[in-house]
């Protein structure tokens, strides 16, 4: 009887362990140019000429652009809100800017259609000691609801040296 109980218990534990791997993605830290972000192991770091860092999975992408204060005189005196306003203006994006409670970044979201597909973007702006950062999370609008909470979680994980 004890052997049967033990075998059943082991079978249940093994099943839960295998299913857990299907439902919970492993996290991984990615670092570039003084910025660290925690995503999942499903992301691959790639090169994109216009971005400081670029990460891609089968359902989402993350871009990070570092704009060092040395690019323009007085840039370091800009507030994060001024920088965020400038990003929206320069990119002709009409969006409501939000600073989530207890967070040190601004966020805004927008949609853009390219090649017949509509994409959802969750954009965040940060001020580090030497630069402003624009970090964007994107997916097709079909995946928006599924990934929106992840985008916020990943934005919350951003750290700077």
């Amino acid at each position: 009887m004890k052997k049967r109980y033990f075998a059943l218990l082991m079978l249940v534990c093994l099943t839960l362990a295998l299913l857990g791997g299907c439902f919970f993605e492993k996290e991984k830290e990615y670092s570039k140019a003084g910025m660290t972000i925690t995503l999942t192991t499903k992301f691959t770091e790639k090169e994109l000429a216009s971005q400081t860092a670029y990460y891609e999975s089968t359902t989402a992408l993350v871009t990070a652009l570092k704009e060092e204060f040395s690019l323009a005189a007085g840039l370091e005196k800009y507030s994060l809100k001024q920088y965020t306003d400038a990003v929206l203006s320069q990119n002709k994006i009409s969006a409501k800017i939000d600073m989530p409670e207890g967070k040190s970044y601004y966020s805004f979201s927008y949609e853009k259609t390219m090649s017949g597909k509509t994409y959802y973007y969750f954009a965040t702006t940060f001020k580090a000691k030497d630069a402003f950062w624009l970090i964007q999370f994107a997916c097709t609008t079909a995946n928006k609801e599924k990934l929106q909470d992840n985008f916020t979680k990943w934005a919350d994980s951003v750290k700077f040296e």
Side-chain angles (χ1 to χ4, degrees), residues 80 97-107 125:
L80 183 55
I97 299 171
D98 183 41
M99 179 175 267
E101 190 174 326
K103 306 299 177 195
S104 60
Y105 62 85
Y106 280 103
S107 66
T125 56

Side-chain angles (χ1 to χ4, degrees), residues 80-81 84-85 88 95-109 120 122-126 148 152 155-156:
L80 183 55
K81 175 76 165 71
T84 306
D85 287 338
L88 289 169
K96 179 183 171 253
I97 299 171
D98 183 41
M99 179 175 267
E101 190 174 326
K103 306 299 177 195
S104 60
Y105 62 85
Y106 280 103
S107 66
F108 57 92
S109 58
Y120 168 75
F122 177 72
T124 56
T125 56
F126 296 84
Q148 215 164 12
T152 302
D156 291 347

Side-chain angles (χ1 to χ4, degrees), residues 30-141:
Y30 297 84
S31 296
K32 189 90 175 236
M35 181 270 309
T36 300
I37 187 168
T38 302
L39 302 169
T40 68
T41 56
K42 291 189 176 186
F43 279 86
T44 303
E45 183 173 4
K46 297 188 174 184
E47 292 296 320
L48 188 60
S50 62
Q51 299 295 312
T52 307
Y54 175 67
Y55 309 100
E56 187 179 289
S57 76
T58 56
T59 57
L61 61 86
V62 180
T63 62
L65 177 64
K66 181 179 184 179
E67 297 193 271
E68 295 183 9
F69 296 149
S70 60
L71 290 176
L75 188 57
E76 72 278 355
K77 294 178 184 172
Y78 269 49
S79 70
L80 183 55
K81 175 76 165 71
Q82 287 173 307
Y83 172 76
T84 306
D85 287 338
V87 167
L88 289 169
S89 176
Q90 289 174 359
N91 292 287
K92 297 177 176 61
I93 297 171
S94 177
K96 179 183 171 253
I97 299 171
D98 183 41
M99 179 175 267
E101 190 174 326
K103 306 299 177 195
S104 60
Y105 62 85
Y106 280 103
S107 66
F108 57 92
S109 58
Y110 62 99
E111 292 184 3
K112 188 174 182 179
T113 302
M114 294 183 298
S115 303
K117 276 191 170 181
T118 304
Y119 295 89
Y120 168 75
Y121 291 84
F122 177 72
T124 56
T125 56
F126 296 84
K127 187 173 185 178
K129 66 181 179 188
D130 62 339
F132 285 106
W133 284 82
L134 171 63
I135 301 175
Q136 298 190 82
F137 307 86
C139 65
T140 60
T141 52

Side-chain angles (χ1 to χ4, degrees), residues 21-34:
C22 296
F23 295 113
F24 302 105
E25 295 180 27
K26 289 187 178 187
E27 292 183 340
K28 179 179 175 184
E29 280 192 347
Y30 297 84
S31 296
K32 189 90 175 236

